[in-house]
């Protein structure tokens, strides 16, 4: 058997090239027919046996080789190499694969082809998570802290600042618990610093949003002092902002500069913003030179509209004309960084292109561009109106310089607005002719500018009561821009002034159709319906206007007045109470409310409001008369004296008030003072019968010698009164002959009689003009009332509002064009 086994000869280890010429006869298939062992194996069942399964630790065992003698001996291999998995010399040889993956002879015996092992069933379930483990508790708590921080930020963005602060505080408490648990389980190096930073920063921000500045500063200090937080120094900007809100400007500048030192130079945008804050703080402290240095640095490094405008303000504060001009030119040159409007115009009729342009014409980016352009125009217009009156010898020359600079820039369309503001400046200086001439220059300009100028001209002429000129310019404004609500409102005003209320209402309605937010048109149409006695429609208009202008005193008064006209005093008093809450010092509203309470019989409430009205405006005769009568009714005559004395000062030619003063002295028992007052009245008004009657009565009661003198004067005046009455009666009965005989019988005494008669008629006219004690005082006959007072809410102010384009107030470094909400005086 061994003769068929060829073993590798042992060679010397030093022979590196030994064995290369050896030939393994196992691979010689031509000699298999002569191999007795092979032929014997083929003839018997030995060759058809299944392979022996390898046992652990090996996957194969030494297979016995059959020989011709029938004995079986375990051999290594035909070449003498160890069998796979066999142990030789105490060392286990690694096993190798001897068949293809996924195929075995067992498949021939009925087993299914299953290379993925799916027949073994589903995989066993995963091991259940242990929720009671410390790591899992820490993970869940960390998740909860993150959720609380997010909820706090969302609440802040929604405007619920209190809820945001509560969430931030809750997140801080849970985060501290989380840190303690981590320290117990793991090492301190595993603490989540990012989570701690976000919790503290959010808490400080919520404190600041709720104006709890000390708490916010303490929280920021905790972050800044912790060296483990990277880039925490930039939070000193927030601390500086808090000090700025607290008006602690020195500390604000200090923290801004500390933050500026800790921010590297590569963050240019952040450094520029901090410099902007420093400059604004210097302006607030009045250190304009330092502010100028900050803003000049910004304009050199990164020019911006805000920095340029603030630089102009600083130069204006120090009064440097040339620097103001240069700063204005720098402001004009700041790039707007917006696309041209031409890109939103379709170059062809391609439907796809048109659809895309229509989609982007009003998207968020386009809206942002419009806002940026509007902000730039606002800064430029405000700066021009600020410096124009001071950069040259006159404001007109200054405006002309600004107009030329603007025309040479990218803001050409602002030049026309500056020209209109120049006209407004003329109006402020009472130079109406120059204002009109300036506005008339726009008659040949494009339609939009022409409409604006014509609207202002119409307003001016309306204020001067030149309704024909106002109407013509209102027509010009409407023809230039049919959809201009201000022009339509002015046109309606001119028609209203001519008494054509129905036509005026049509113009106001058209203005509302073009611009539903035109409050002037809505107010005026309410007045028009009120004039037409359509009170329900007028009330609807003013209620709609009240929903838009919640605190408009004029609207509140009109609503109360309409309820009064509708004979609903309860509602009228309620709306007047709202009016007083808006304008608590308006004497006319207070007296109106007092009159309503008086008509309802509530004297105490009426006295309260009348007295408040008298305190704010002590020259209203109606209020003075009511208060004096109230004290007389309540038997406090001495308190009524001061009111009647004030009335006599306001109307010194009216004897009634001085008689009331004397009457109060007499009723209070001060007869001597009453007598002196009556004597003084008699010296001023010697023909007053009532004064003489009281003088006779007082002198009789006191026993004075002057009684006879006053009695004689009284009889003479009474006789003259009788003669006057007879003449009046005879004049009514009228006899021409009798009148002729009287004229003829005058004789030589005619001239004297004629003079006496003319004097008697003048005296009788005076007596007829004087009120009696029992007659009520007619306030409409008053001529001595202070005419300089014009109540802004009285019913006499029912002329329609005049529309004109709005401007900013001069106190905010701008002018105000004739405002929409002004009522012409």
């Amino acid at each position: 058997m061994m003769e068929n086994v060829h073993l590798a000869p042992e060679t010397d280890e030093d022979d590196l090239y030994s064995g290369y010429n050896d030939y393994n006869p196992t691979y010689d298939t031509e000699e298999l027919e002569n191999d007795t062992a092979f032929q014997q194996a083929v003839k018997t069942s030995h060759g058809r046996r299944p392979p022996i399964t390898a046992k652990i630790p090996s996957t194969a065992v030494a297979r016995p080789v059959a020989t011709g003698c029938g004995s079986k001996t375990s051999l290594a291999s035909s070449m003498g190499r160890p069998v796979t998995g066999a142990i030789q010399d105490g060392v286990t040889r690694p096993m190798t694969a001897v068949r293809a993956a996924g195929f075995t002879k067992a498949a021939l015996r009925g087993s299914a082809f299953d290379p993925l092992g799916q027949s073994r069933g589903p995989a066993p379930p995963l091991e259940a998570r242990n929720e009671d483990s410390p790591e899992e508790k820490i993970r869940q708590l960390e998740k909860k802290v993150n959720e609380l921080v997010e909820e706090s930020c969302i609440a802040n963005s929604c405007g619920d600042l209190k809820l945001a602060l509560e969430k931030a505080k809750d997140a801080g408490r849970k985060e501290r618990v989380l840190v303690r648990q981590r320290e117990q389980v793991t090492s301190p190096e595993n603490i989540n610093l990012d989570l701690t930073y976000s919790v503290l920063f959010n808490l400080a921000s919520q404190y600041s949003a709720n104006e709890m500045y000390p708490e916010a500063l303490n929280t920021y200090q905790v972050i800044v002092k912790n060296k483990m937080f990277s880039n925490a120094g930039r939070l000193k900007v927030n601390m500086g902002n808090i000090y700025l809100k607290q008006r602690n400007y020195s500390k604000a500048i200090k923290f801004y500069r500390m933050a500026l030192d800790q921010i590297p130079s590569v963050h240019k945008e952040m450094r520029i913003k901090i410099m902007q804050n420093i400059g604004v703080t210097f302006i607030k402290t009045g250190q304009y030179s330092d502010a100028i240095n900050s803003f000049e640095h910004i304009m050199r490094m990164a020019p911006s509209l805000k920095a340029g405008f603030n630089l102009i303000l600083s130069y204006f504060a120090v009064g440097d004309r040339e620097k103001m001009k240069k700063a204005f030119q720098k402001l004009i040159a700041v790039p707007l960084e917006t696309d041209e409007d031409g890109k939103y115009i379709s170059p062809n009729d391609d439907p796809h292109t048109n659809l895309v342009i229509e989609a982007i014409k009003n998207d968020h980016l386009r809206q942002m561009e419009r806002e940026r352009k509007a902000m730039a125009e606002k800064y430029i217009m405000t700066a021009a109106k600020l410096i124009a009156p001071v950069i040259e010898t006159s404001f007109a020359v200054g405006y002309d310089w600004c107009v030329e600079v603007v025309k040479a820039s990218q803001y050409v369309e602002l030049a026309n607005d500056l020209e209109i503001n120049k006209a407004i400046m003329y109006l402020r200086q009472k130079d109406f002719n120059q204002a009109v001439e300036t506005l008339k220059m726009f008659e040949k300009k494009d339609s939009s500018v022409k409409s604006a100028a014509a609207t202002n001209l119409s307003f001016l002429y309306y204020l001067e009561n030149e309704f024909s000129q106002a109407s013509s310019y209102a027509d010009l404004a409407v023809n230039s821009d049919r959809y201009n609500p201000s022009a339509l409102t002015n046109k309606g005003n001119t028609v209203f002034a001519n008494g054509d209320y129905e036509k005026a209402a049509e113009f106001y309605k058209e203005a509302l159709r073009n611009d539903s937010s035109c409050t002037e048109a809505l107010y005026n149409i309410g007045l028009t319906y009120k004039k037409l006695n359509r009170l329900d429609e007028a009330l609807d208009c003013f209620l709609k206007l009240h929903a838009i202008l919640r605190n408009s005193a004029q609207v509140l008064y009109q609503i109360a007045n309409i309820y009064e006209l509708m004979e609903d005093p309860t509602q009228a008093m309620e709306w007047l109470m709202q009016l007083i809450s808006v304008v608590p010092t308006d004497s006319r509203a207070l007296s109106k409310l007092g009159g309503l309470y008086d008509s309802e019989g509530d004297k105490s409430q009426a006295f309260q409001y009348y007295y408040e009205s008298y305190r704010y405006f002590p020259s209203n005769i109606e209020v003075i008369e009511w208060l004096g009568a109230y004290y007389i009714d309540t038997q406090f005559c001495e308190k009524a004296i001061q009111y009647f004395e004030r009335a006599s000062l306001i109307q010194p030619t009216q004897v009634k008030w001085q008689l009331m003063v004397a009457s109060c002295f007499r009723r209070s028992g001060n007869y001597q003072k009453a007598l002196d007052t009556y004597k003084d009245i008699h010296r001023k008004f010697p023909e007053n019968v009532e004064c003489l009657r009281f003088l006779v009565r007082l002198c009789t009661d006191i026993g004075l010698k002057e009684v006879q003198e006053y009695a004689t004067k009284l009889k003479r005046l009474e006789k003259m009164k009788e003669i006057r009455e007879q003449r009046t009666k005879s004049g009514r009965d009228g006899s021409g002959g009798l009148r002729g005989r009287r004229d003829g019988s005058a004789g030589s005494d005619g001239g004297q009689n004629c003079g006496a008669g003319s004097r008697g008629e003048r005296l009788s006219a005076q007596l007829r003009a004087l009120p009696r004690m029992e007659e009520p005082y007619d306030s409409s006959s008053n001529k001595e009332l202070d005419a300089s007072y014009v109540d802004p809410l009285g019913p006499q102010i029912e002329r329609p509002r005049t529309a004109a384009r709005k401007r900013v107030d001069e106190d905010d470094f701008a002018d105000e064009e004739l405002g929409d909400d002004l009522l012409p005086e």
Side-chain angles (χ1 to χ4, degrees):
M1 180 179 69
M2 295 298 297
E3 62 183 2
N4 295 323
V5 178
H6 304 278
L7 300 176
E10 294 181 2
T11 58
D12 190 2
E13 292 181 0
D14 296 334
D15 189 2
L16 298 177
Y17 300 96
S18 62
Y20 280 90
N21 295 324
D22 293 341
Y23 175 70
N24 191 349
T26 305
Y27 299 106
D28 189 3
T29 57
E30 296 179 355
E31 298 294 329
L32 288 177
E33 294 180 356
N34 300 324
D35 191 344
T36 306
F38 177 79
Q39 293 297 330
Q40 182 65 27
V42 171
K43 291 179 181 180
T44 63
S45 60
H46 181 80
R48 294 192 295 272
R49 288 180 183 175
I52 301 174
T53 304
K55 295 181 180 180
I56 298 175
S58 64
T59 57
V61 295
R63 186 176 63 182
V65 180
T67 60
C69 300
S71 63
K72 299 179 180 180
T73 306
S74 176
L75 300 177
S77 68
S78 59
M79 291 184 63
R81 71 183 181 88
V83 180
T84 302
I87 300 175
Q88 189 176 23
D89 297 333
V91 179
T92 304
R93 185 179 182 277
M95 296 174 287
T96 59
V98 295
R99 53 186 177 175
F103 176 79
T104 58
K105 289 184 179 181
L108 301 177
R109 295 191 294 271
S111 61
F113 178 74
D114 187 15
L116 300 179
Q118 297 178 359
S119 61
R120 290 176 296 180
L126 298 175
E127 184 179 355
R129 180 182 298 176
N130 186 8
E131 296 183 356
D132 294 333
S133 63
E135 292 80 3
E136 184 63 25
K137 290 182 179 179
I138 291 174
R139 193 180 300 111
Q140 293 296 328
L141 189 57
E142 185 174 343
K143 181 180 179 182
K144 181 62 177 177
V145 171
N146 282 316
E147 290 176 354
L148 287 172
V149 172
E150 292 178 1
E151 291 173 1
S152 174
C153 296
I154 293 173
N156 182 283
S157 63
C158 295
D160 194 349
L161 300 181
K162 291 185 178 179
L163 179 62
L165 181 59
E166 291 298 326
K167 295 288 185 180
K169 289 181 178 179
D170 195 11
R173 288 190 291 267
K174 292 186 179 302
E175 193 273 337
R176 288 191 292 272
V177 174
L178 175 63
V179 170
R180 287 195 295 268
Q181 291 186 1
R182 279 188 181 277
E183 290 175 350
Q184 294 175 0
V185 175
T186 60
S187 60
E189 292 78 9
N190 295 329
I191 296 177
N192 191 346
L193 291 178
D194 292 338
L195 181 62
T196 304
Y197 180 88
S198 63
V199 169
L200 291 174
F201 178 68
N202 179 62
L203 181 60
S205 301
Q206 303 307 331
Y207 276 134
S208 178
N210 285 271
E211 298 182 357
M212 302 172 66
Y213 298 130
E215 292 83 354
L217 289 173
N218 293 335
T219 309
Y220 279 127
Q221 285 287 0
V222 172
I223 302 175
V224 171
K225 290 182 178 180
N226 194 336
K227 301 301 182 181
M228 300 178 68
F229 294 138
S230 59
N231 298 324
R234 65 181 58 189
L235 292 183
K236 293 181 180 179
V237 177
N238 295 11
M239 300 175 71
N241 292 338
I242 292 176
Y243 283 121
L244 184 64
K245 292 178 181 179
Q246 292 180 330
R247 301 180 183 273
N248 192 345
Y249 301 124
S250 59
K251 279 196 172 183
I253 294 173
K254 174 184 176 182
F255 276 88
Y256 285 144
R257 285 177 170 171
M258 291 170 63
L260 192 64
D261 294 339
Q262 296 186 7
I263 293 178
S265 58
V266 293
H267 300 289
K268 293 182 179 179
E269 186 175 356
M270 176 67 73
R271 293 178 64 86
I272 289 297
K273 290 182 178 179
I274 297 176
M275 289 291 294
Q276 177 84 17
N277 289 0
I278 293 174
V280 171
T281 310
F282 277 131
I283 288 179
K284 288 184 176 293
T285 57
Q287 303 177 29
Y288 299 112
S289 58
D290 295 329
I292 288 171
N293 295 333
S294 299
F295 293 127
E296 282 184 343
H297 175 75
I298 295 173
M299 294 301 289
R300 285 195 303 268
M301 301 300 297
S304 64
L305 293 169
K306 290 183 179 180
F309 181 73
N310 289 331
L311 183 60
I312 292 175
L313 293 182
S314 301
Y315 282 132
F316 178 83
V318 298
D320 195 335
R321 295 184 177 182
E322 295 300 324
K323 293 291 183 66
M324 276 189 273
K325 290 183 178 181
K326 293 181 181 179
F328 185 75
Q329 292 173 341
K330 290 180 181 179
L331 178 64
I332 291 288
V334 172
L336 197 56
E337 298 180 356
T338 58
D339 294 330
E340 298 293 334
D341 294 337
K343 83 170 189 177
Y344 298 102
I345 301 175
S346 177
N348 49 37
D349 294 333
D350 184 11
H352 179 70
T353 304
N354 293 337
L355 188 62
V356 173
I357 291 176
E358 191 67 26
I360 67 174
K361 188 177 292 184
N362 198 31
D363 60 353
H364 292 292
L365 179 60
R366 177 61 173 162
Q367 292 175 4
M368 186 183 70
E369 290 177 350
R370 288 191 188 129
E371 292 175 359
R372 182 177 296 176
K373 186 176 180 181
M375 182 182 67
E377 292 177 353
K378 177 183 176 183
Y379 282 139
I380 293 170
M381 288 292 296
T382 306
K385 288 182 286 187
L386 173 66
I387 68 173
V390 297
I391 58 175
E392 298 292 347
T393 56
S394 66
F395 81 92
V397 180
Y399 266 105
D400 293 338
W401 182 88
C402 292
V403 168
E404 293 301 324
V405 173
V406 170
K407 284 183 178 178
S409 67
Q410 56 182 330
Y411 305 99
V412 183
E413 64 276 4
L414 294 181
N416 294 325
D417 292 338
L418 281 175
E419 290 284 355
I420 293 179
N421 281 294
K422 181 180 176 182
I424 302 303
M425 198 68 182
Y426 279 123
L427 287 177
R428 292 184 181 276
Q429 296 186 353
K430 308 299 182 183
D431 194 347
F432 296 101
N433 295 329
Q434 285 291 339
V436 171
E437 291 299 325
T438 305
L439 291 173
K440 284 183 177 180
M441 293 170 53
F442 293 95
E443 292 182 2
K444 297 181 180 180
K445 296 292 182 69
D446 58 350
S447 59
S448 60
V449 179
K450 184 193 299 183
S451 177
T455 300
N456 288 336
L457 284 170
S458 174
F459 179 79
L460 285 176
Y461 283 120
Y462 182 84
L463 292 182
E464 294 178 352
N465 291 330
E466 297 182 14
F467 299 126
S468 59
Q469 288 285 346
S471 179
S472 63
Y473 278 104
D475 291 333
L476 178 61
V478 172
N479 294 333
S480 301
D481 186 1
R482 185 66 188 176
Y483 300 100
N484 186 352
S486 299
L488 291 168
T489 302
N490 282 349
K491 180 60 180 176
N493 291 347
T494 58
V495 177
F496 184 97
N498 293 327
D500 192 351
Y501 303 124
E502 293 287 353
K503 190 174 181 181
E506 292 300 324
F507 281 107
Y508 297 143
K509 288 179 182 178
E510 186 174 356
L512 285 173
R513 284 193 293 269
N514 293 336
D515 184 6
S516 60
S517 63
C518 184
T519 56
E520 293 78 20
L522 186 58
Y523 183 90
N524 290 347
I525 198 173
L527 290 182
T528 306
Y529 286 142
K530 187 178 174 183
K531 286 286 186 181
L532 295 172
N533 203 26
R534 293 154 62 175
L535 299 180
D536 291 333
E537 297 179 47
L539 183 61
D540 290 340
C541 292
F542 287 119
L543 288 175
K544 289 178 183 177
L545 195 57
H546 175 65
I548 301 172
L549 306 174
R550 303 295 299 180
N551 295 324
S552 173
Q554 295 169 329
V555 176
L556 292 170
Y557 173 79
Q558 292 297 339
I559 295 174
N561 191 20
I562 291 175
Y563 275 120
E564 185 181 3
L565 294 175
M566 297 172 68
E567 298 180 355
D568 190 350
T570 304
Q571 285 290 335
M573 287 188 289
E574 181 179 344
W575 285 96
L576 282 174
M577 290 292 292
Q578 295 187 35
L579 173 60
I580 291 172
S581 67
V582 176
V583 280
T585 60
D586 188 86
S587 62
R588 187 59 181 267
L590 290 166
S591 64
K592 191 74 174 176
L593 188 56
L596 288 174
Y597 275 112
D598 187 25
S599 63
E600 293 294 308
D602 193 345
K603 294 289 184 180
S604 60
Q605 284 290 340
F607 170 75
Q608 177 184 349
Y609 289 110
Y610 271 122
Y611 183 75
E612 289 295 316
S613 176
Y614 173 78
R615 281 201 316 115
Y616 292 119
F617 183 58
S619 300
N620 191 334
I621 291 294
E622 295 179 1
V623 175
I624 291 173
E625 184 178 17
W626 192 94
L627 288 171
Y630 174 79
Y631 280 118
I632 290 175
D633 292 340
T634 55
Q635 305 300 320
F636 291 101
C637 299
E638 59 276 1
K639 290 187 177 181
I641 293 173
Q642 60 174 333
Y643 297 103
F644 293 127
E645 285 179 345
R646 180 171 289 276
S648 65
L649 292 175
I650 297 171
Q651 295 180 340
T653 60
Q654 289 285 344
V655 69
K656 172 183 179 178
W657 308 119
Q658 300 181 44
L659 290 174
M660 292 299 297
V661 172
S663 176
C664 290
F665 280 126
R666 181 174 55 84
R667 293 187 181 187
S668 60
N670 194 346
Y671 296 108
Q672 185 60 43
K673 192 68 175 177
L675 180 61
D676 295 339
T677 305
Y678 279 125
K679 288 180 179 180
D680 186 57
I681 296 172
H682 179 65
R683 283 193 298 269
K684 294 178 181 178
F685 305 96
E687 293 86 7
N688 188 271
V689 178
E690 299 295 332
C691 179
L692 285 172
R693 287 176 182 172
F694 284 112
L695 278 172
V696 171
R697 184 182 302 176
L698 279 176
C699 290
T700 302
D701 294 340
I702 299 175
L704 297 178
K705 297 178 180 180
E706 295 94 339
V707 62
Q708 190 62 36
E709 178 186 354
Y710 294 131
T712 304
K713 292 180 180 180
L714 178 59
K715 288 179 181 180
R716 186 172 66 248
L717 287 176
E718 288 178 347
K719 186 176 181 180
M720 290 175 61
K721 183 178 179 182
E722 292 177 1
I723 294 172
R724 184 183 69 238
E725 292 176 353
Q726 289 178 2
R727 288 180 179 180
T728 304
K729 184 178 181 181
S730 62
R732 286 197 302 265
D733 295 341
S735 171
L738 177 61
R739 213 181 288 116
R741 287 193 299 270
R742 287 179 181 173
D743 294 338
S745 63
S748 62
D749 297 333
Q752 184 178 358
N753 292 337
C754 181
S758 62
R759 180 186 174 191
E761 287 187 4
R762 286 198 302 270
L763 182 59
S764 64
Q766 278 186 324
L767 291 174
R768 285 197 303 270
L770 293 177
R772 294 177 175 271
M773 288 294 293
E774 66 273 7
E775 292 177 352
Y777 171 69
D778 185 6
S779 60
S780 62
S781 64
N782 169 32
K783 300 298 182 183
E784 290 75 20
L785 183 61
D786 186 8
S788 63
Y789 174 76
V790 179
D791 197 288
L793 296 174
Q796 71 273 13
I797 304 178
E798 290 190 1
R799 293 177 67 183
R801 291 191 180 189
T802 312
R805 303 179 66 189
K806 289 183 178 178
R807 301 290 177 195
V808 186
D809 188 24
E810 188 179 16
D811 294 336
D812 296 329
F813 302 115
D815 291 329
E816 179 176 351
E817 197 172 71
L818 302 175
D820 293 341
D821 55 349
L822 292 180
L823 286 174
E825 296 178 357

